[in-house]
Every structure is written in structure tokens, then in C-alpha cells.
Amino acid sequence: MGEVKEPYEGGTGSLLEVVDMMCGVTEKLADIVRKQAVLIEQERIAGAVFPADLSEERKQADVAVQQAFLDSEEYKSCTTVLAYVSSDIEVSTAEIVRKALKSKIVLCPRCEKNGNIMYFHRINSTYDLKEGRFGIFEPDESCEKYCVFDNALCIVPALSYDKDGYRLGFGMGFYDRFLADYNGIKLGLCYDNCMSESFCHDGYDISVDKVFTDKDIYLSLIHISEPTRHLR
């Protein structure tokens, strides 16, 4: 009868060596699993934000988030607003866009059909918005494209934010690529019941400076030195 060996026998620290080897071999697999986890979390949040019978509650939350944003010093002092056109599963930006059109330069994203590149185009009216890729409204192709953003703030879309300003996006990478070269103010809108404690992130992830919800305003500790994480 052969000798019975202990698991991972082979020398001091052999278990750690196996773990290290597995981490190296499965780096690509870990990335796949992480992306799948993001998709699962996206589906969970999209389906659980507000049940269908709470549409009035959602409207009230949309109003509260947008008003907090419109009351902010960042909005009042900027001359240019980069605003996404909200879909059914995002915090509404309708009132923000309507009010900003009265006194600001309003730029909305337009995705190029032949690539994963997003540009911002100026709209002078909501009539400039046409249904585009993924069923999302975007500026008509005749609208002026902007590449320089002076005294601007960008509203970054997300399904969820954590309390350090990192976001759970939609997995397409449009805003990740744009934000890599954008140096202006970055703000997020989120339902308070969709805020998360912390997301895993890497060197490619860019946090926003502040997140407005229907109950709180979260200040990113990455961008400020104040000891307070969020303010009522």
C-alpha cells in the first residue's frame, strides 16, 4: 500500500506557491469573472431600483436628485454642462437639460456608428435630439461637435456609485475612454438606495468628484482633503 501524502506536500510554503501559481494562470479568467460579476450586478440594480408600482416614488427621487444638482455651486458657476440623455434605468436628466439650455452651453454624447468612440455635440433645444444607438437619444449629426471644454462639468452616468465616487457603468467603456483625457469637474447622479459601500477598481477607473442622491451629497475623499465623507 502506497504512502499517504498530505495535501500540497512538497516543501515549506507550498500552499502559498500553489495559490501564487493559480493567481498567475487565472489572471485572464479573473478578468472574465469580474466582468460577469459586473453584468450580474447591473441586472440586479436595474431590476430592483424601483418596482413598477412605485413610479411616483421614482419621480420624486428624480426631482430631488436633479434639484440637488441644480442647487450646487459647481452647476451655478460653470458655463458648459456635459449631460447624458437618461434612459429608463438611470436617474432622469430631463429637468437638468431643460434648465441648462436657458443659460449654459449644453453638450450631449453621440456615439460613432463605426467604433466605440463618443463625442460631445452642442444642442440648442431638445428637438436636436434623435434616437440613436442602443435606443438612446443623442444629438443629431448636424449638431456642432466640441473637443475643448472650458469651465465645464460632466455628469457621468452610472447604475450605482460607491462612496469614493467610483461607478458601476454599463460595460461599453465610452465614458472610461472619454474621462481619461477630460480634466474638468466630474459629477454623478444616483438614487440613494443604489449607493454601494465600495467597488473594486483598477488604474483605468476614474472616480467622480461628487455624487448627488435624493438624500445625500457624497464627496469623494480621493479628490478632497475634508474629513467629512458626505453632507446632508
Side-chain angles (χ1 to χ4, degrees), residues 28-69:
K28 179 179 284 189
L29 178 59
D31 184 55
I32 294 173
V33 171
R34 181 176 181 272
K35 289 179 179 178
Q36 184 62 32
V38 167
L39 291 174
I40 293 171
E41 183 68 2
Q42 286 173 341
E43 292 177 0
R44 182 190 71 78
I45 292 174
V49 174
F50 288 102
D53 60 346
L54 292 181
S55 57
E56 187 59 36
E57 182 180 341
R58 176 172 179 175
K59 290 178 183 177
Q60 292 175 3
D62 281 332
V63 169
V65 176
Q66 291 179 96
Q67 193 58 54
F69 172 86

Short mmCIF file of all heavy atoms in Angstrom, two decimals, residues 28-69:
data_model
loop_
_atom_site.label_atom_id
_atom_site.label_comp_id
_atom_site.label_asym_id
_atom_site.label_seq_id
_atom_site.Cartn_x
_atom_site.Cartn_y
_atom_site.Cartn_z
N LYS A 28 -6.39 36.08 -16.56
CA LYS A 28 -7.38 36.37 -17.59
C LYS A 28 -8.76 35.89 -17.16
O LYS A 28 -9.76 36.57 -17.37
CB LYS A 28 -6.99 35.69 -18.90
CG LYS A 28 -8.01 35.94 -20.02
CD LYS A 28 -7.61 35.29 -21.33
CE LYS A 28 -6.51 36.07 -22.01
NZ LYS A 28 -6.25 35.56 -23.38
N LEU A 29 -8.81 34.72 -16.53
CA LEU A 29 -10.08 34.19 -16.05
C LEU A 29 -10.69 35.12 -15.01
O LEU A 29 -11.89 35.38 -15.01
CB LEU A 29 -9.89 32.80 -15.45
CG LEU A 29 -11.15 32.13 -14.87
CD1 LEU A 29 -12.21 31.98 -15.93
CD2 LEU A 29 -10.80 30.78 -14.25
N ALA A 30 -9.84 35.67 -14.13
CA ALA A 30 -10.33 36.58 -13.10
C ALA A 30 -10.96 37.81 -13.73
O ALA A 30 -11.98 38.32 -13.26
CB ALA A 30 -9.19 37.00 -12.17
N ASP A 31 -10.36 38.28 -14.83
CA ASP A 31 -10.92 39.44 -15.52
C ASP A 31 -12.28 39.11 -16.11
O ASP A 31 -13.21 39.91 -16.05
CB ASP A 31 -9.96 39.88 -16.62
CG ASP A 31 -10.42 41.15 -17.32
OD1 ASP A 31 -10.64 42.15 -16.62
OD2 ASP A 31 -10.58 41.13 -18.55
N ILE A 32 -12.42 37.90 -16.66
CA ILE A 32 -13.69 37.46 -17.22
C ILE A 32 -14.75 37.37 -16.12
O ILE A 32 -15.89 37.81 -16.29
CB ILE A 32 -13.53 36.11 -17.93
CG1 ILE A 32 -12.62 36.27 -19.17
CG2 ILE A 32 -14.90 35.54 -18.33
CD1 ILE A 32 -12.27 34.96 -19.83
N VAL A 33 -14.35 36.79 -14.99
CA VAL A 33 -15.28 36.64 -13.86
C VAL A 33 -15.71 38.01 -13.35
O VAL A 33 -16.88 38.23 -13.03
CB VAL A 33 -14.63 35.82 -12.73
CG1 VAL A 33 -15.50 35.85 -11.48
CG2 VAL A 33 -14.41 34.38 -13.19
N ARG A 34 -14.75 38.94 -13.28
CA ARG A 34 -15.07 40.28 -12.81
C ARG A 34 -16.09 40.95 -13.73
O ARG A 34 -17.05 41.57 -13.26
CB ARG A 34 -13.80 41.13 -12.75
CG ARG A 34 -14.01 42.54 -12.25
CD ARG A 34 -12.67 43.27 -12.13
NE ARG A 34 -12.85 44.62 -11.64
CZ ARG A 34 -13.10 45.68 -12.42
NH1 ARG A 34 -13.21 45.51 -13.72
NH2 ARG A 34 -13.24 46.87 -11.89
N LYS A 35 -15.89 40.80 -15.04
CA LYS A 35 -16.84 41.39 -15.99
C LYS A 35 -18.21 40.76 -15.87
O LYS A 35 -19.23 41.43 -15.97
CB LYS A 35 -16.31 41.24 -17.42
CG LYS A 35 -15.10 42.11 -17.71
CD LYS A 35 -14.59 41.91 -19.12
CE LYS A 35 -13.39 42.82 -19.41
NZ LYS A 35 -12.84 42.61 -20.77
N GLN A 36 -18.24 39.44 -15.65
CA GLN A 36 -19.51 38.76 -15.48
C GLN A 36 -20.20 39.22 -14.20
O GLN A 36 -21.43 39.41 -14.18
CB GLN A 36 -19.29 37.23 -15.43
CG GLN A 36 -20.58 36.41 -15.34
CD GLN A 36 -21.46 36.60 -16.56
OE1 GLN A 36 -20.97 36.82 -17.66
NE2 GLN A 36 -22.77 36.53 -16.36
N ALA A 37 -19.42 39.44 -13.16
CA ALA A 37 -19.99 39.92 -11.90
C ALA A 37 -20.59 41.31 -12.09
O ALA A 37 -21.64 41.63 -11.52
CB ALA A 37 -18.92 39.96 -10.82
N VAL A 38 -19.92 42.13 -12.89
CA VAL A 38 -20.46 43.46 -13.17
C VAL A 38 -21.79 43.36 -13.89
O VAL A 38 -22.74 44.07 -13.57
CB VAL A 38 -19.45 44.27 -14.02
CG1 VAL A 38 -20.12 45.53 -14.58
CG2 VAL A 38 -18.25 44.67 -13.18
N LEU A 39 -21.88 42.45 -14.87
CA LEU A 39 -23.13 42.27 -15.60
C LEU A 39 -24.26 41.82 -14.67
O LEU A 39 -25.40 42.30 -14.78
CB LEU A 39 -22.94 41.24 -16.73
CG LEU A 39 -22.06 41.69 -17.89
CD1 LEU A 39 -21.84 40.52 -18.85
CD2 LEU A 39 -22.68 42.86 -18.63
N ILE A 40 -23.94 40.91 -13.76
CA ILE A 40 -24.95 40.43 -12.81
C ILE A 40 -25.41 41.56 -11.90
O ILE A 40 -26.60 41.72 -11.65
CB ILE A 40 -24.38 39.26 -11.97
CG1 ILE A 40 -24.14 38.03 -12.87
CG2 ILE A 40 -25.32 38.91 -10.81
CD1 ILE A 40 -23.39 36.92 -12.19
N GLU A 41 -24.45 42.38 -11.44
CA GLU A 41 -24.81 43.50 -10.58
C GLU A 41 -25.63 44.54 -11.33
O GLU A 41 -26.57 45.12 -10.80
CB GLU A 41 -23.54 44.13 -10.02
CG GLU A 41 -23.77 45.27 -9.03
CD GLU A 41 -24.38 44.81 -7.71
OE1 GLU A 41 -24.60 43.59 -7.53
OE2 GLU A 41 -24.66 45.68 -6.86
N GLN A 42 -25.30 44.75 -12.60
CA GLN A 42 -26.08 45.67 -13.42
C GLN A 42 -27.53 45.21 -13.52
O GLN A 42 -28.46 46.00 -13.36
CB GLN A 42 -25.48 45.76 -14.83
CG GLN A 42 -24.19 46.55 -14.90
CD GLN A 42 -23.56 46.48 -16.27
OE1 GLN A 42 -23.87 45.59 -17.06
NE2 GLN A 42 -22.68 47.41 -16.56
N GLU A 43 -27.73 43.93 -13.78
CA GLU A 43 -29.08 43.38 -13.90
C GLU A 43 -29.83 43.49 -12.57
O GLU A 43 -31.01 43.80 -12.53
CB GLU A 43 -29.02 41.93 -14.36
CG GLU A 43 -28.52 41.77 -15.80
CD GLU A 43 -28.40 40.31 -16.20
OE1 GLU A 43 -28.72 39.44 -15.35
OE2 GLU A 43 -28.00 40.04 -17.33
N ARG A 44 -29.11 43.25 -11.47
CA ARG A 44 -29.75 43.32 -10.15
C ARG A 44 -30.24 44.73 -9.86
O ARG A 44 -31.38 44.94 -9.45
CB ARG A 44 -28.78 42.89 -9.06
CG ARG A 44 -29.41 42.88 -7.66
CD ARG A 44 -28.35 42.69 -6.58
NE ARG A 44 -27.53 43.86 -6.43
CZ ARG A 44 -27.90 44.97 -5.78
NH1 ARG A 44 -29.11 45.06 -5.24
NH2 ARG A 44 -27.09 46.01 -5.67
N ILE A 45 -29.36 45.70 -10.09
CA ILE A 45 -29.72 47.07 -9.80
C ILE A 45 -30.80 47.57 -10.74
O ILE A 45 -31.77 48.21 -10.34
CB ILE A 45 -28.48 47.98 -9.87
CG1 ILE A 45 -27.53 47.64 -8.73
CG2 ILE A 45 -28.87 49.46 -9.80
CD1 ILE A 45 -26.21 48.35 -8.78
N ALA A 46 -30.67 47.24 -12.03
CA ALA A 46 -31.66 47.69 -13.00
C ALA A 46 -33.05 47.16 -12.67
O ALA A 46 -34.06 47.84 -12.89
CB ALA A 46 -31.25 47.24 -14.41
N GLY A 47 -33.11 45.97 -12.12
CA GLY A 47 -34.41 45.38 -11.81
C GLY A 47 -34.95 45.72 -10.45
O GLY A 47 -36.13 45.51 -10.17
N ALA A 48 -34.11 46.27 -9.58
CA ALA A 48 -34.52 46.47 -8.20
C ALA A 48 -34.56 47.92 -7.75
O ALA A 48 -34.85 48.22 -6.62
CB ALA A 48 -33.58 45.70 -7.26
N VAL A 49 -34.25 48.85 -8.66
CA VAL A 49 -34.22 50.26 -8.26
C VAL A 49 -35.58 50.69 -7.74
O VAL A 49 -35.72 51.14 -6.63
CB VAL A 49 -33.81 51.16 -9.45
CG1 VAL A 49 -33.92 52.63 -9.06
CG2 VAL A 49 -32.40 50.86 -9.89
N PHE A 50 -36.58 50.55 -8.58
CA PHE A 50 -37.93 50.89 -8.18
C PHE A 50 -38.89 49.90 -8.81
O PHE A 50 -38.93 49.77 -10.03
CB PHE A 50 -38.32 52.30 -8.64
CG PHE A 50 -37.63 53.39 -7.89
CD1 PHE A 50 -36.55 54.05 -8.44
CD2 PHE A 50 -38.05 53.75 -6.62
CE1 PHE A 50 -35.92 55.06 -7.75
CE2 PHE A 50 -37.41 54.75 -5.92
CZ PHE A 50 -36.34 55.40 -6.49
N PRO A 51 -39.69 49.19 -8.02
CA PRO A 51 -40.71 48.32 -8.58
C PRO A 51 -41.68 49.15 -9.43
O PRO A 51 -41.82 50.36 -9.23
CB PRO A 51 -41.41 47.74 -7.35
CG PRO A 51 -40.41 47.87 -6.26
CD PRO A 51 -39.64 49.13 -6.56
N ALA A 52 -42.39 48.49 -10.35
CA ALA A 52 -43.27 49.19 -11.27
C ALA A 52 -44.36 49.99 -10.56
O ALA A 52 -44.77 51.06 -11.02
CB ALA A 52 -43.91 48.18 -12.23
N ASP A 53 -44.81 49.50 -9.42
CA ASP A 53 -45.90 50.18 -8.72
C ASP A 53 -45.42 51.35 -7.87
O ASP A 53 -46.20 51.97 -7.16
CB ASP A 53 -46.68 49.18 -7.85
CG ASP A 53 -45.81 48.52 -6.79
OD1 ASP A 53 -44.58 48.64 -6.90
OD2 ASP A 53 -46.36 47.89 -5.88
N LEU A 54 -44.13 51.67 -7.93
CA LEU A 54 -43.59 52.79 -7.16
C LEU A 54 -43.11 53.90 -8.09
O LEU A 54 -42.17 54.61 -7.79
CB LEU A 54 -42.44 52.31 -6.27
CG LEU A 54 -42.82 51.38 -5.11
CD1 LEU A 54 -41.57 51.01 -4.32
CD2 LEU A 54 -43.85 52.01 -4.20
N SER A 55 -43.78 54.04 -9.25
CA SER A 55 -43.34 55.02 -10.23
C SER A 55 -43.38 56.43 -9.66
O SER A 55 -42.54 57.27 -9.99
CB SER A 55 -44.20 54.94 -11.49
OG SER A 55 -45.56 55.12 -11.18
N GLU A 56 -44.37 56.73 -8.81
CA GLU A 56 -44.46 58.05 -8.21
C GLU A 56 -43.27 58.31 -7.28
O GLU A 56 -42.73 59.42 -7.24
CB GLU A 56 -45.77 58.21 -7.43
CG GLU A 56 -46.02 59.62 -6.93
CD GLU A 56 -46.07 60.64 -8.05
OE1 GLU A 56 -46.58 60.30 -9.15
OE2 GLU A 56 -45.58 61.76 -7.84
N GLU A 57 -42.86 57.29 -6.55
CA GLU A 57 -41.68 57.41 -5.69
C GLU A 57 -40.44 57.69 -6.51
O GLU A 57 -39.59 58.50 -6.12
CB GLU A 57 -41.50 56.14 -4.86
CG GLU A 57 -40.33 56.22 -3.89
CD GLU A 57 -40.17 54.95 -3.07
OE1 GLU A 57 -41.13 54.16 -2.99
OE2 GLU A 57 -39.06 54.75 -2.52
N ARG A 58 -40.34 57.04 -7.65
CA ARG A 58 -39.18 57.28 -8.50
C ARG A 58 -39.20 58.71 -9.04
O ARG A 58 -38.15 59.36 -9.09
CB ARG A 58 -39.18 56.28 -9.66
CG ARG A 58 -38.04 56.56 -10.64
CD ARG A 58 -37.87 55.51 -11.69
NE ARG A 58 -36.79 55.88 -12.58
CZ ARG A 58 -36.35 55.11 -13.56
NH1 ARG A 58 -36.89 53.92 -13.76
NH2 ARG A 58 -35.37 55.51 -14.34
N LYS A 59 -40.34 59.20 -9.44
CA LYS A 59 -40.42 60.58 -9.93
C LYS A 59 -39.96 61.56 -8.86
O LYS A 59 -39.25 62.52 -9.14
CB LYS A 59 -41.86 60.89 -10.36
CG LYS A 59 -42.31 60.17 -11.62
CD LYS A 59 -43.76 60.52 -11.94
CE LYS A 59 -44.25 59.75 -13.16
NZ LYS A 59 -45.69 60.02 -13.43
N GLN A 60 -40.39 61.31 -7.63
CA GLN A 60 -39.99 62.19 -6.53
C GLN A 60 -38.49 62.13 -6.30
O GLN A 60 -37.85 63.15 -6.02
CB GLN A 60 -40.75 61.79 -5.26
CG GLN A 60 -42.24 62.08 -5.33
CD GLN A 60 -42.99 61.56 -4.10
OE1 GLN A 60 -42.39 61.04 -3.17
NE2 GLN A 60 -44.31 61.72 -4.11
N ALA A 61 -37.92 60.93 -6.43
CA ALA A 61 -36.47 60.78 -6.26
C ALA A 61 -35.73 61.51 -7.38
O ALA A 61 -34.71 62.17 -7.14
CB ALA A 61 -36.10 59.30 -6.25
N ASP A 62 -36.24 61.40 -8.62
CA ASP A 62 -35.63 62.11 -9.75
C ASP A 62 -35.62 63.61 -9.51
O ASP A 62 -34.62 64.29 -9.74
CB ASP A 62 -36.40 61.81 -11.05
CG ASP A 62 -36.04 60.45 -11.64
OD1 ASP A 62 -34.91 59.98 -11.42
OD2 ASP A 62 -36.89 59.87 -12.33
N VAL A 63 -36.74 64.13 -9.03
CA VAL A 63 -36.84 65.56 -8.75
C VAL A 63 -35.82 65.97 -7.68
O VAL A 63 -35.13 66.99 -7.82
CB VAL A 63 -38.27 65.94 -8.30
CG1 VAL A 63 -38.31 67.37 -7.76
CG2 VAL A 63 -39.25 65.78 -9.45
N ALA A 64 -35.70 65.18 -6.63
CA ALA A 64 -34.80 65.50 -5.53
C ALA A 64 -33.34 65.49 -5.98
O ALA A 64 -32.55 66.38 -5.62
CB ALA A 64 -35.01 64.52 -4.38
N VAL A 65 -32.96 64.48 -6.77
CA VAL A 65 -31.57 64.40 -7.25
C VAL A 65 -31.25 65.58 -8.15
O VAL A 65 -30.21 66.24 -8.00
CB VAL A 65 -31.33 63.08 -8.00
CG1 VAL A 65 -29.91 63.05 -8.57
CG2 VAL A 65 -31.54 61.88 -7.10
N GLN A 66 -32.14 65.85 -9.10
CA GLN A 66 -31.89 66.93 -10.06
C GLN A 66 -31.84 68.30 -9.36
O GLN A 66 -31.02 69.15 -9.71
CB GLN A 66 -32.95 66.93 -11.15
CG GLN A 66 -32.84 65.72 -12.08
CD GLN A 66 -33.91 65.70 -13.15
OE1 GLN A 66 -33.68 66.16 -14.26
NE2 GLN A 66 -35.08 65.19 -12.81
N GLN A 67 -32.70 68.49 -8.36
CA GLN A 67 -32.70 69.77 -7.66
C GLN A 67 -31.41 69.96 -6.87
O GLN A 67 -30.86 71.07 -6.81
CB GLN A 67 -33.91 69.88 -6.73
CG GLN A 67 -34.15 71.29 -6.21
CD GLN A 67 -34.35 72.29 -7.34
OE1 GLN A 67 -35.19 72.10 -8.22
NE2 GLN A 67 -33.55 73.36 -7.34
N ALA A 68 -30.93 68.90 -6.24
CA ALA A 68 -29.66 68.98 -5.51
C ALA A 68 -28.53 69.37 -6.45
O ALA A 68 -27.66 70.18 -6.11
CB ALA A 68 -29.37 67.65 -4.83
N PHE A 69 -28.55 68.80 -7.64
CA PHE A 69 -27.54 69.14 -8.65
C PHE A 69 -27.66 70.60 -9.07
O PHE A 69 -26.67 71.34 -9.13
CB PHE A 69 -27.68 68.22 -9.85
CG PHE A 69 -26.82 68.60 -11.01
CD1 PHE A 69 -25.51 68.16 -11.11
CD2 PHE A 69 -27.31 69.42 -12.03
CE1 PHE A 69 -24.70 68.54 -12.18
CE2 PHE A 69 -26.52 69.79 -13.10
CZ PHE A 69 -25.21 69.35 -13.17
#
